[in-house]
């Protein structure tokens, strides 16, 4: 009985960990997208000031 509970908890923790890893990957991807947007905005701004 105790081993069953421990096994279920372990499975739940593994599932939670995988969900957190997925969310972390998505957040890192979004941060990268935002950084690219800022770089593009900066490039556009500096290009418009040269003209």
């Amino acid at each position: 009985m105790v081993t069953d509970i421990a096994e279920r908890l372990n499975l739940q923790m593994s599932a939670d960990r995988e969900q957190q890893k997925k969310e972390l990957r998505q957040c890192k991807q979004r941060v990268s997208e935002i950084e690219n947007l800022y770089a593009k905005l900066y490039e556009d701004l500096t290009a418009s000031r040269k003209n």
Side-chain angles (χ1 to χ4, degrees):
M1 182 168 175
V2 173
T3 55
D4 291 338
I5 294 171
E7 187 176 326
R8 278 187 265 149
L9 284 173
N10 191 25
L11 288 173
Q12 183 61 45
M13 288 173 52
S14 293
D16 291 346
R17 192 176 310 116
E18 287 303 314
Q19 180 63 29
Q20 290 172 345
K21 285 180 182 180
K22 179 182 176 184
E23 289 175 13
L24 179 60
R25 282 191 302 272
Q26 290 173 336
C27 289
K28 285 181 176 182
Q29 181 179 355
R30 184 61 182 145
V31 166
S32 178
E33 291 170 357
I34 291 170
E35 287 173 345
N36 290 337
L37 288 171
Y38 271 114
K40 177 78 169 119
L41 180 63
Y42 178 77
E43 291 169 5
D44 290 348
L45 181 62
T46 55
S48 69
R49 286 189 177 174
K50 289 180 183 179
N51 294 333

